[in-house]
Amino acid sequence: METKILESTTENIRIAAKIIKNGGLVAFPTETVYGLGANALDADAVANVYYAKGRPSDNPMIVHIATEKGFSDLTDLMTEDIKIMMSNFWPGPLTMVVPAKKIVPKRTTGGLDTVAIRMPEEQIAKDLIEFSGLPIAAPSANLSGKPSPTTVEHVIDDMQGRIDCILKGPNCQVGIESTVVDMTGTVPMILRPGIITKEDIEEALGKEILLDPSLLGKPGEDFKPKSPGMKYKHYAPKAEMIVFKGDSERVRVEIAKKKAELEKEGKKVEAIFFNVENPKEAAHDFFRELRDADKRNVDVILSQALDESGVGFSVMNRMLKSCGYNIFEVK
Ligand code: TXA
Ligand code: MG
């Protein structure tokens, strides 16, 4: 398939919107990561998204809207909490899970009775949704299992030849995917952490909310720290990756030691350090660092962990999956 790669002029966004209307696939920038979009109400178009990504088809998608009417087109639920979330965080990197109306195909929701909805802030995304007049289902525009794409080059690397169109845009400001919050219970629950943190939401709602317990601990019974844990690998670079946790000075020393050791064995090694004072910057850079290392054909990535509070918690959620829970605790 020939993939049109277009500058995001108004005229070209209209062309892309027509592709969506006709059941085609368009990759587009959002403030978090690039998305791979299709008409959320067209089960066949959504099936093609799974196919293009090489993704298991039980994984539900986020549906992108541009207006509050777009929200009530997809769900009957409207609560005080939802209103507060909308006014504080939309448009922006927040996704709300709510009961789905019948018009949302089961293909889009991965067979669930709920639908995940997000109103993105990036103007190109907003225009694409508005011009198409449709809700747009969009997972991240990467091949399944690979790091999420935060630049248009990442999207071209993964999707050229597999989809109809790529809209060029700026590098993504946030760099990690949206915060996903389940709004169906009496108390909201974070299902995927993002740049909007639990504390941010609690401050807006004026009450405590929940965190999906699976985010806190081990991914399964057979979890063993320092084991490759291939089963849980996701957002993964081609290189082997080890994450070093502990006091940041000692981590630096241990990483340098390990790097020298591996290089002596003839391995190409890259060390990734973050400004631990600025987890937002780490979020912005993280996926790009992994893809850059792969481009340089690095064999092993040694990465410094972040403090698991605030946005650091959200970055660590990705980092631990990227390395397949291959963690080295520095004592
Ligand atoms: O920032 C983002 O959210 C990006 C951009 C493109 O908007 N999209 C994205 O989509 O990250 P994806 O498909 O990579 O991740 C969707 C997440 C998954 O963790 C999925 O399990 C969850 O949202 N999700 C979707 N629908 C759900 C539902 N009905 N109930 C629970 N979780 C759901
Ligand atoms: Mg994804």
Side-chain angles (χ1 to χ4, degrees):
M1 173 189 297
E2 202 213 319
T3 303
K4 284 192 177 78
I5 301 175
L6 305 177
E7 297 294 336
S8 291
T9 59
T10 302
E11 195 185 338
N12 284 341
I13 299 173
R14 286 195 192 281
I15 292 172
K18 198 169 277 173
I19 293 172
I20 296 274
K21 273 197 263 188
N22 291 335
L25 307 188
V26 176
F28 61 97
T30 83
E31 67 278 16
T32 55
V33 302
Y34 274 74
L36 175 54
N39 176 358
L41 306 180
D42 178 344
D44 292 334
V46 170
N48 287 333
V49 174
Y50 288 117
Y51 184 74
K53 278 183 65 91
R55 172 180 192 159
S57 62
D58 58 349
N59 208 341
M61 285 189 194
I62 293 174
V63 179
H64 297 70
I65 57 166
T67 60
E68 284 183 20
K69 177 172 179 304
F71 183 83
S72 47
D73 285 346
L74 301 172
T75 183
D76 287 320
L77 190 66
M78 183 50 74
T79 62
E80 271 315 301
D81 284 350
I82 290 174
K83 284 182 197 160
I84 295 170
M85 298 283 269
M86 280 180 166
S87 70
N88 278 270
F89 304 117
W90 274 3
L94 170 80
T95 297
M96 289 195 267
V97 173
V98 290
K101 280 191 180 176
K102 284 227 163 55
I103 74 162
V104 186
K106 285 281 186 260
R107 273 267 182 211
T108 304
T109 65
L112 299 172
D113 297 327
T114 52
V115 58
I117 307 177
R118 171 158 115 81
M119 189 189 288
E121 187 169 25
E122 164 62 51
Q123 192 60 43
I124 298 165
K126 282 194 208 165
D127 287 348
L128 181 67
I129 299 162
E130 269 185 23
F131 295 168
S132 69
L134 290 164
I136 297 184
S140 47
N142 53 284
L143 290 173
S144 188
K146 292 234 284 167
S148 297
T150 58
T151 73
V152 72
E153 288 76 27
H154 297 163
V155 180
I156 293 170
D157 285 345
D158 280 16
M159 290 297 159
Q160 190 164 26
R162 303 177 73 91
I163 62 176
D164 300 287
C165 176
I166 298 172
L167 282 176
K168 287 190 185 176
N171 296 350
C172 302
Q173 274 170 37
V174 174
I176 56 172
E177 307 85 346
S178 62
T179 305
V180 178
V181 186
D182 182 355
M183 300 302 292
T184 61
T186 43
V187 181
M189 181 192 280
I190 295 188
L191 303 181
R192 180 176 70 183
I195 204 99
I196 295 173
T197 63
K198 182 166 181 278
E199 295 74 28
D200 295 334
I201 296 171
E202 288 177 338
E203 196 183 318
L205 296 178
K207 64 179 182 189
E208 276 189 38
I209 63 162
L210 303 168
L211 203 56
D212 179 348
S214 75
L215 295 171
L216 284 176
K218 310 163 177 182
E221 297 276 310
D222 54 346
F223 172 79
K224 287 187 207 81
K226 297 185 200 179
S227 84
M230 287 302 293
K231 195 172 155 197
Y232 305 110
K233 229 167 168 182
H234 193 57
Y235 309 119
K238 282 183 277 179
E240 185 196 344
M241 181 167 168
I242 309 170
V243 170
F244 289 69
K245 272 190 177 177
D247 168 75
S248 73
E249 279 314 304
R250 302 195 54 118
V251 160
R252 273 182 187 273
V253 173
E254 284 302 322
I255 287 182
K257 216 158 90 185
K258 186 78 183 170
K259 185 164 188 279
E261 214 173 273
L262 289 165
E263 280 171 349
K264 214 180 260 171
E265 292 170 19
K267 298 230 166 93
K268 189 163 175 185
V269 183
E270 185 159 299
I272 303 180
F273 297 101
F274 298 102
N275 173 359
V276 288
E277 301 299 313
N278 190 350
K280 279 196 179 174
E281 190 181 292
H284 178 269
D285 295 342
F286 179 63
F287 286 131
R288 187 174 45 75
E289 294 272 15
L290 299 189
R291 282 184 177 256
D292 284 354
D294 275 346
K295 280 233 151 142
R296 288 194 288 272
N297 283 312
V298 166
D299 299 306
V300 186
I301 298 170
L302 306 176
S303 178
Q304 175 193 29
L306 298 169
D307 262 355
E308 294 192 43
S309 63
V311 176
F313 176 72
S314 310
V315 179
M316 287 310 294
N317 169 268
R318 275 56 171 196
M319 200 188 293
L320 295 178
K321 291 191 175 99
S322 300
C323 75
Y325 294 85
N326 199 6
I327 304 159
F328 185 87
E329 304 262 3
V330 178
K331 297 279 183 255

